[in-house]
Amino acid sequence: MNITVYLGANLGTDPALPQAVQQLGRWIGESGNALVYGGSKSGLMGLLADSVLAAGGRVTGVEPKCFLDAELQHERLTELIVTEDIPSRKTKMIELGDAFIAFPGGTGTLEEITEVISKLSLGQLDAPCILYDLNGYYQPLHQLLQQMITMGLSTPARQQNIAFVADLAQIRAILEK
């Protein structure tokens, strides 16, 4: 299975982030699944790719030309796909994914996972969408999605493939079904 993971190119300030992302990467590599991610060597993105590769896994990076020019790409990827721009990168990452995970990240991560959520809601995508709610990181988004249902602007059926999980064990339970 290709697992598309969205996450930050920074390390963040929570010491739990690097450890959790390395555990996720090890599991992806050891489980025989493959990683699809943004292709960067920086921050959490680089740690994730390194962890998958060290565990013997396959890693596909999808990098827009503008980041390639800045030499941000990871050099040891199994495959590097270069796209014209960020919108085509997002499209390619969705096309390649069989499941989607948002690890804590910044505004780019939020933009990418909300596109997946929207496609699920509209019936344009049928795949697990997991928000790794490490230390409650995604609780505000979870509350907003629940508020959409309460206000009659969304429905439980439209959000059925969206899961908020606290740890790797819960991710595994969803993806190993």
Side-chain angles (χ1 to χ4, degrees), residues 31-77:
S31 66
N33 292 306
L35 171 66
V36 175
Y37 86 119
S40 178
K41 64 183 175 186
S42 302
L44 295 171
M45 292 174 76
L47 282 177
L48 178 63
D50 289 341
S51 299
V52 174
L53 291 166
R58 180 175 166 76
V59 178
T60 300
V62 183
E63 190 87 41
K65 280 184 187 177
C66 61
F67 291 165
L68 199 65
D69 295 341
E71 299 182 6
L72 298 173
Q73 75 278 2
H74 197 293
E75 285 112 17
R76 293 178 294 135
L77 302 177

Side-chain angles (χ1 to χ4, degrees), residues 81-155:
I81 297 171
V82 179
T83 63
E84 189 62 33
D85 52 26
I86 291 175
S88 56
R89 171 204 209 183
K90 292 189 311 180
T91 299
K92 182 52 110 176
M93 290 175 71
I94 291 171
E95 286 173 2
L96 294 172
D98 299 307
F100 301 88
I101 298 173
F103 195 82
T107 54
T109 301
L110 181 62
E111 177 189 13
E112 291 165 328
I113 201 61
T114 54
E115 184 166 341
V116 171
I117 290 170
S118 180
K119 286 182 178 296
L120 285 169
S121 178
L122 296 171
Q124 297 174 348
L125 185 62
D126 183 21
C129 175
I130 300 167
L131 290 103
Y132 196 151
D133 193 27
L134 187 67
N135 295 334
Y137 186 81
Y138 281 112
Q139 278 308 296
L141 179 57
H142 191 207
Q143 291 167 358
L144 177 60
L145 290 172
Q146 292 305 305
Q147 180 69 4
M148 290 175 185
I149 293 170
T150 301
M151 298 289 297
L153 301 170
S154 185
T155 65

